Amino acid sequence: MWADEAALDATQHRLDEWETSLADRAQRARSLSARVSTLTGTAHNADRSVEVTVDSAGQLVDLRLDERIRQQSAAHTARQVLATTRAAQADLLRRITTATTETLGDDDPAGPALLDSYRRRLTGQGAPDADR
């Protein structure tokens, strides 16, 4: 009977460790979610006449145009805004990568999956419809 109790104790110990591990992972996931939701990305073009800020979803939330913009064509300004928005999204992705690594560590498989999801959304890389 002692062997059965020892096996039962060992099993209970493994279950307790598993439960603790799951609770810890859930807490880190909540912490990361809260942290990422506050992140923004910002970029400016070479002559600093365009500055763009995107929110944690990569959506434009602020656009600042210097008065020098008036001296160029609307098409050129539009290209600068789009390019600077992509740069701001890249900045956001860098910030999300840092937050993910700091919060989850390097050994949590959820980290790369999360980053891949953000990368696809923000850059279009690896998106299923990208080849169409």
Side-chain angles (χ1 to χ4, degrees), residues 65-114:
L65 302 174
D66 187 272
E67 288 299 320
R68 292 173 288 158
I69 290 294
R70 295 174 186 254
Q71 299 169 359
Q72 60 192 30
S73 71
H76 183 70
T77 299
R79 285 190 301 273
Q80 288 183 315
V81 168
L82 291 174
T84 307
T85 300
R86 286 189 296 275
Q89 290 169 333
D91 179 55
L92 173 64
L93 185 58
R94 282 189 297 276
R95 292 170 189 255
I96 291 171
T97 300
T98 298
T100 300
T101 301
E102 290 175 355
T103 305
L104 299 181
D106 292 327
D107 59 337
D108 190 327
L114 175 76

Side-chain angles (χ1 to χ4, degrees), residues 5 13 20 39 55 96-97 99-100 102 110 117 119 125:
E5 285 189 37
H13 180 70
T20 300
L39 294 178
D55 65 12
I96 291 171
T97 300
T100 300
E102 290 175 355
S117 172
R119 189 174 296 106
Q125 293 178 352

Side-chain angles (χ1 to χ4, degrees), residues 24-100:
D24 179 55
R25 288 183 73 194
Q27 177 56 40
R28 286 187 290 151
R30 284 190 296 275
S31 175
L32 180 59
S33 177
R35 188 172 173 187
V36 166
S37 72
T38 66
L39 294 178
T40 60
T42 301
H44 53 80
N45 65 344
D47 70 359
R48 295 186 175 269
S49 61
V50 176
E51 181 178 282
V52 170
T53 300
V54 296
D55 65 12
S56 63
Q59 300 300 309
L60 182 72
V61 293
D62 192 27
L63 172 63
R64 297 179 188 267
L65 302 174
D66 187 272
E67 288 299 320
R68 292 173 288 158
I69 290 294
R70 295 174 186 254
Q71 299 169 359
Q72 60 192 30
S73 71
H76 183 70
T77 299
R79 285 190 301 273
Q80 288 183 315
V81 168
L82 291 174
T84 307
T85 300
R86 286 189 296 275
Q89 290 169 333
D91 179 55
L92 173 64
L93 185 58
R94 282 189 297 276
R95 292 170 189 255
I96 291 171
T97 300
T98 298
T100 300

